[in-house]
Amino acid sequence: MATSKANESWSQILLDKVVFITGAGGGIGSAISHTCALQGAKVVVSDVDKAAADKVVADIIATRNQESDRIMSIELDTVDEQAIEQAVALVAEKWGTIHVLVNAAANFTVGSIEDISADAWSHVFNVNVRGYALMIKHIVPLLKKQRSGSIIQFGSISGVIAQPNFVPYNTTKGAVLQLTRNLALDLGSYNIRCNSVSPGCIETPPICRLAESLNLSMEEFTQSRAQKQCLKRIGTPQEIANLVVFLASDLCPFITGANLLADGGYTAI
């Protein structure tokens, strides 16, 4: 995966930090995994799709000349609390602790209030909210013990604004933002920071599927969305990964409880 010269000049700002990433097999999750490895972290690439997680690990080892003992893949469904507990224990046994949690797993269920089934509501909340909370529940004891840590949650502009027929997804992302604020308050005395990142329109598989559902080519979709924001383009996974790495690092020790929008200025208009 290509990175900018700016990334390469950062001089490993995550050196020897253990970073646990959920949803790491996807476009943004993969970019975060690559960038954390580039910045010196020991990286846990977890995803419900083990093949996708394995591919990210193999790509990092091949393209970054990364030592294989500094990166691991884990099959993890964040709906399963027992699986979370086992995964956290495995990482702690291997590397002693965890310094950073990136909650990036997501379910992209959209639709009108009449169209979404009870089961669909349960699933989107289980992945997008409950799964985030359970990951934190089982990692926080390690962070408290070392009296430091950074938790980064994936919100979305969908948690800030209303969008037509996006009710379930937007509702869960709004919940993530409030979860982040409450955790920042509860964990601040332990020097544990909790922030959220809220991307706008980023070129990822869910966006491609959304364009297809609207009977638009990606070019048409991109042009229509780009005109609605200050920067007349959509974002890339690498741009989101750069922001996540900044929040994971020690460069921003006084930032907590914040929701950082990375939307090309969409919500500014």
Side-chain angles (χ1 to χ4, degrees):
M1 180 178 295
T3 58
S4 69
K5 292 186 182 299
N7 291 340
E8 295 169 0
S9 67
W10 280 359
S11 188
Q12 296 200 308
I13 60 174
L14 298 182
L15 186 62
D16 290 335
K17 288 186 182 291
V18 178
V19 181
F20 195 125
I21 306 161
T22 71
I28 292 176
S30 174
I32 294 169
S33 300
H34 274 261
T35 310
C36 287
L38 177 68
Q39 297 307 322
K42 297 174 181 177
V43 184
V44 182
V45 180
S46 77
D47 200 280
V48 69
D49 183 345
K50 183 62 160 58
D54 288 343
K55 184 178 186 305
V56 171
V57 169
D59 287 347
I60 290 173
I61 292 172
T63 61
R64 304 288 182 213
N65 195 26
Q66 179 78 23
E67 298 175 18
S68 59
D69 65 347
R70 294 180 63 84
I71 187 164
M72 62 188 297
S73 69
I74 295 179
E75 181 178 2
L76 181 60
D77 184 350
T78 56
V79 172
D80 184 344
E81 184 173 10
Q82 184 177 7
I84 291 172
E85 190 171 10
Q86 291 171 347
V88 171
L90 179 65
V91 175
E93 181 180 358
K94 181 177 177 67
W95 288 323
T97 191
I98 294 168
H99 301 98
V100 179
L101 168 64
V102 181
N103 268 327
N107 176 269
F108 196 67
T109 296
V110 298
S112 68
I113 193 67
E114 299 100 329
D115 295 335
I116 306 303
S117 69
D119 286 344
W121 272 108
S122 295
H123 187 60
V124 70
F125 262 95
N126 279 339
V127 176
N128 293 1
V129 182
R130 179 176 173 271
Y132 284 21
L134 291 176
M135 286 297 305
I136 296 165
K137 172 185 175 180
H138 290 284
I139 287 178
V140 150
L142 295 171
L143 305 185
K144 283 185 173 181
K145 184 178 180 180
Q146 67 201 16
R147 298 193 69 83
S148 67
S150 177
I151 298 167
I152 302 153
Q153 315 229 77
F154 263 74
S156 169
I157 60 168
S158 298
V160 178
I161 61 173
Q163 295 165 296
N165 297 319
F166 264 57
V167 173
Y169 184 74
N170 288 39
T171 301
T172 61
K173 290 306 179 181
V176 168
L177 302 189
Q178 189 58 43
L179 175 64
T180 299
R181 288 187 284 265
N182 278 275
L183 288 169
L185 175 61
D186 290 348
L187 300 176
S189 59
Y190 296 92
N191 195 34
I192 299 168
R193 299 181 294 111
C194 188
N195 295 288
S196 56
V197 171
S198 287
C201 191
I202 308 298
E203 191 171 352
T204 57
I207 291 298
C208 295
R209 290 193 292 270
L210 178 60
E212 185 178 352
S213 72
L214 297 172
N215 295 316
L216 295 173
S217 68
M218 269 305 296
E219 183 179 358
E220 292 169 332
F221 180 85
T222 298
Q223 289 177 347
S224 67
R225 290 302 172 100
Q227 295 309 308
K228 298 177 181 178
Q229 53 202 45
C230 300
L231 300 178
K232 304 303 181 184
R233 62 178 180 85
I234 65 173
T236 68
Q238 184 62 61
E239 289 170 314
I240 305 304
N242 292 347
L243 178 55
V244 169
V245 167
F246 171 68
L247 290 173
S249 77
D250 295 329
L251 294 174
C252 52
F254 204 53
I255 298 179
T256 194
N259 176 45
L260 303 187
L261 288 156
D263 64 353
Y266 183 90
T267 55
I269 300 177

